[in-house]
Amino acid sequence: ITANAGADDSICIGSNITLNGTGGGTYSWIPAASLSNSSIYNPVASPTVTTTYTLTVSSGSCSDNDIITIVVNQLPTANAGSDDSICSGSSTSLNAGGGTSFVWSPSTGLSAVNISNPVADPTATTTYSVIVTDANGCSDTDALTITVNPLPMANAGPDESMCTGATAQLSASGGTQYSWSPGTGLSSTSVNNPIASHTATTTYYVTVTDGNG
């Protein structure tokens, strides 16, 4: 009788592995607690810590022993990064960590799905999940949400006319911050209602920013 418990192996915690003993006759594995059946040649092992199993193969009065060690590797801790928000038409860089390989889903709006730091430019609020795998082949999943905020509706007000030497008050709306250009002839470039006293016909542009930036 020559017992053979098989080659040492490894699993990720929470997984299992089928042992494969040989040698003929009857089989007995110890410890039996994490085995599906300790008296067959191919029990399923689901240890939660690294475990060395001893296999005893018997035939009549003859027997032999062999051992196998199953290393139990912990899962990585996937980190997809923090939730973020962008303005419609803009993009942001994701940055996952915790392992050596990465797979993002869904692929919509991503520059790549198999790197840690793809550029995301979704057109609608999207939750992205990332599967992070470490050097032992163990995986964990994390997710983040990219909120897509609509652009404000900038309104510079109606066109105005005035006599030379007079003034006119502009009146923009649509946001919380305003930036006018050019600044020539304006009492302020950072309020929604500056006084215009220009001496020539001028087209003014206003950039309107809302509370989401």
Side-chain angles (χ1 to χ4, degrees):
I1 298 295
T2 301
N4 185 351
D8 293 343
D9 210 335
S10 64
I11 62 172
C12 303
I13 191 168
S15 300
N16 57 54
I17 188 171
T18 299
L19 307 184
N20 191 16
T22 60
T26 61
Y27 297 85
S28 176
W29 296 85
I30 57 173
S34 56
L35 299 178
S36 61
N37 188 331
S38 63
S39 59
I40 60 176
Y41 76 95
N42 61 344
V44 175
S46 51
T48 57
V49 295
T50 296
T51 302
T52 297
Y53 295 99
T54 300
L55 169 65
T56 300
V57 178
S58 302
S59 179
S61 61
C62 300
S63 64
D64 189 29
N65 298 324
D66 193 24
I67 63 172
I68 181 175
T69 298
I70 304 299
V71 176
V72 178
N73 294 308
Q74 298 298 311
L75 301 183
T77 300
N79 184 0
S82 301
D83 294 343
D84 202 354
S85 62
I86 61 173
C87 301
S88 179
S90 300
S91 64
T92 185
S93 291
L94 308 185
N95 191 14
T100 56
S101 66
F102 307 86
V103 177
W104 292 90
S105 64
S107 61
T108 306
L110 296 182
S111 61
V113 296
N114 58 355
I115 59 176
S116 64
N117 57 345
V119 174
D121 58 354
T123 57
T125 296
T126 303
T127 296
Y128 291 105
S129 297
V130 61
I131 300 173
V132 176
T133 305
D134 64 14
N136 295 315
C138 299
S139 299
D140 188 31
T141 302
D142 194 25
L144 84 166
T145 298
I146 304 299
T147 301
V148 179
N149 294 308
L151 299 182
M153 296 294 293
N155 184 355
D159 293 342
E160 297 280 355
S161 62
M162 63 183 187
C163 300
T164 301
T167 61
Q169 186 169 49
L170 309 186
S171 182
S173 62
T176 58
Q177 298 178 48
Y178 301 86
S179 177
W180 293 89
S181 65
T184 306
L186 295 183
S187 60
S188 173
T189 60
S190 58
V191 296
N192 73 309
N193 56 349
I195 301 297
S197 55
H198 202 45
T199 57
T201 297
T202 303
T203 298
Y204 290 104
Y205 296 86
V206 61
T207 300
V208 177
T209 305
D210 66 13
N212 294 315

